[in-house]
Amino acid sequence: MKRKYLIKLTALFLFIFATTSVIFPSQKVNANTKSKKIEIKKYSKVYCKNARTYLRIPTYDGSNQSNHPKVLYIPNSWNGYKYWMTYTPYPNTIPDYENPSIVASNDGFNWTMPKGLKNPIIPTPKDAKMGGHNSDPHLVLNYKNNSMELWYRVNKGTPRRNPSSQDYIYKITSKDGIKWSKPVFVYSDKKLCISPAIIYENNIYKMWYVSYTKKGTIIKYAESKDSIKWQNIRQVNIKLDEGCYPWHIDVTKTNRGYEMLISNYYKAFGKNLLLSHAISNDGLNFGKTIDVVVPSKGIFSWDNSIIYRSSLVQVENKYKIYYSAQDLWGRWHIGVTEMNGVANNMQSI
């Protein structure tokens, strides 16, 4: 009996070792990835407790593995729901399923597809066999015409089945969250346009996204009155910890200013992503980052590998973080935690 138990235990550890070495291979993003050892940043204080379990979010592919959330909270509700979320399925990191989807909720914990909605909102690209894929959805509430906009990133394929290095941002619009318009092209950047975060404020679209230079990834900003013609494109100043680089971001406007969540990596991109937070008065100059969510240490935890793109939501006087994470088996899910005490310790510039 003991021998059988030891054999099973040994097999389990071998499985974990083998799985963790292949579930998140290095990705070529033209910066900080070539022949560099993956290191984990040392951190001393983290402001948020990890969610004990993930949210049950249905996915059209049946895997119920979800990723890259953007959540909007509308106190008086919008078309019957106070919370609206866009996300993508990402079963075992297969990009073909990474197609923007929608769910809604009235308590922020129990999520459902609104009646009449069919996911995904955006289908798999026609060039998927050549490496093309969708990703990085984001929701924007246009208060001017009371419509909801879903923005997302398209990376086109190539004959060698490698994603191209140029990203294209599209958006679709809905008056009820169920029927959506045809995609409209809005933006492109030859040096990546990862995880666009958009706010519609004072009749202006303000967009932040991750791009790159030879020294590493950076955050850029652009603004537009019509979401088609863009101006004031510039690099954002942010005080990241030494050796850290941004990967996926979200920006939310609160009564304290522009608050950013940054899933960032340390020195070289790999299985070393954690979540940080920063504040700015003008949206261009952000203060020092503070680490808010890091991978759990439990071997069976749902978020014990990396912390990915997340969404900051202010509900009255509380902050909620909806964060996506990967476990050691390569599975993706979304959880929610509260950010207590961070706002009082942060300084905007």
Side-chain angles (χ1 to χ4, degrees):
M1 189 70 179
K2 291 183 177 180
R3 184 178 180 184
K4 289 183 178 180
Y5 177 77
L6 288 172
I7 292 174
K8 289 182 179 180
L9 190 62
T10 303
L12 175 62
F13 279 107
L14 288 173
F15 173 78
I16 293 171
F17 176 79
T19 306
T20 55
S21 64
V22 299
I23 58 175
F24 199 73
S26 298
Q27 299 182 21
K28 292 183 179 180
V29 294
N30 301 313
N32 295 63
T33 59
K34 295 182 179 180
S35 302
K36 290 188 177 182
K37 181 181 178 181
I38 301 302
E39 299 182 47
I40 306 296
K41 187 183 83 170
K42 295 180 180 179
Y43 48 86
S44 56
K45 187 173 183 179
V46 179
Y47 280 85
C48 297
K49 292 182 179 179
N50 294 63
R52 291 184 177 180
T53 187
Y54 54 83
L55 299 170
R56 267 54 182 179
I57 298 173
T59 63
Y60 69 88
D61 65 309
S63 69
N64 292 333
Q65 291 190 43
S66 50
N67 183 38
H68 205 286
K70 174 60 184 180
V71 177
L72 294 181
Y73 172 69
I74 305 145
N76 296 322
S77 79
W78 185 82
N79 286 292
Y81 294 96
K82 292 184 177 181
Y83 294 84
W84 287 81
M85 177 195 292
T86 184
Y87 66 100
T88 65
Y90 205 25
N92 304 306
T93 321
I94 301 174
D96 289 359
Y97 296 100
E98 205 174 1
N99 301 311
S101 302
I102 290 282
V103 286
S105 172
N106 273 315
D107 62 8
F109 294 96
N110 298 289
W111 295 86
T112 186
M113 278 197 305
K115 187 177 180 180
L117 178 70
K118 185 178 180 180
N119 282 324
I121 304 298
I122 301 297
T124 304
K126 294 181 180 180
D127 62 351
K129 291 184 178 180
M130 294 193 297
H133 68 281
N134 300 315
S135 66
D136 300 3
H138 189 92
L139 283 181
V140 179
L141 187 63
N142 187 322
Y143 56 82
K144 191 173 183 179
N145 56 23
N146 196 35
S147 65
M148 189 169 288
E149 301 175 0
L150 191 158
W151 297 49
Y152 63 101
R153 169 179 172 249
V154 176
N155 198 267
K156 297 187 177 181
T158 64
R160 294 184 179 181
R161 194 178 162 70
N162 293 319
S164 64
S165 60
Q166 184 167 354
D167 294 330
Y168 302 84
I169 306 301
Y170 291 81
K171 78 169 184 177
I172 55 176
T173 306
S174 176
K175 288 288 187 178
D176 58 9
I178 299 170
K179 297 178 181 178
W180 293 83
S181 67
K182 293 183 178 180
V184 175
F185 169 75
V186 293
Y187 193 77
S188 182
D189 193 320
K190 293 182 179 180
K191 294 183 177 180
L192 295 181
C193 188
I194 296 173
S195 190
I198 305 96
I199 292 175
Y200 188 63
E201 181 183 31
N202 299 325
N203 298 321
I204 295 176
Y205 288 100
K206 299 179 178 181
M207 179 170 67
W208 297 258
Y209 63 95
V210 174
S211 187
Y212 74 87
T213 65
K214 292 182 179 180
K215 294 182 179 180
T217 51
I218 60 171
I219 299 172
K220 295 180 72 173
Y221 170 85
E223 60 185 39
S224 171
K225 293 181 178 180
D226 59 4
S227 75
I228 302 297
K229 298 178 181 179
W230 294 86
Q231 59 185 5
N232 296 330
I233 302 173
R234 64 187 76 178
Q235 182 174 340
V236 171
N237 297 313
I238 184 167
K239 295 180 180 179
L240 289 159
D241 285 342
E242 185 178 356
C244 289
Y245 298 88
W247 186 239
H248 276 54
I249 61 172
D250 180 40
V251 178
T252 302
K253 182 66 183 295
T254 71
N255 55 4
R256 288 180 57 84
Y258 298 91
E259 303 200 42
M260 181 182 290
L261 290 177
I262 313 105
S263 174
N264 56 98
Y265 62 93
Y266 181 61
K267 294 186 178 181
F269 181 79
K271 292 184 290 183
N272 56 357
L273 293 163
L274 53 79
L275 192 67
S276 301
H277 173 262
I279 298 180
S280 169
N281 284 328
D282 59 8
L284 297 172
N285 300 284
F286 285 81
K288 180 73 178 65
T289 59
I290 288 180
D291 296 334
V292 289
V293 183
V294 300
S296 294
K297 295 182 179 180
I299 191 170
F300 296 111
S301 298
W302 70 275
D303 56 353
N304 56 10
S305 180
I306 62 171
I307 308 298
Y308 210 56
R309 209 274 194 174
S310 306
S311 180
L312 180 66
V313 181
Q314 185 176 16
V315 181
E316 298 177 352
N317 62 343
K318 293 183 178 180
Y319 284 79
K320 292 183 177 181
I321 294 179
Y322 290 85
Y323 68 98
S324 55
Q326 187 188 50
D327 67 15
L328 294 175
W329 285 266
R331 298 171 298 197
W332 293 91
H333 293 101
I334 296 169
V336 60
T337 185
E338 289 191 358
M339 189 167 70
N340 297 319
V342 177
N344 294 327
N345 286 281
M346 296 295 293
Q347 293 184 352
S348 58
I349 61 173

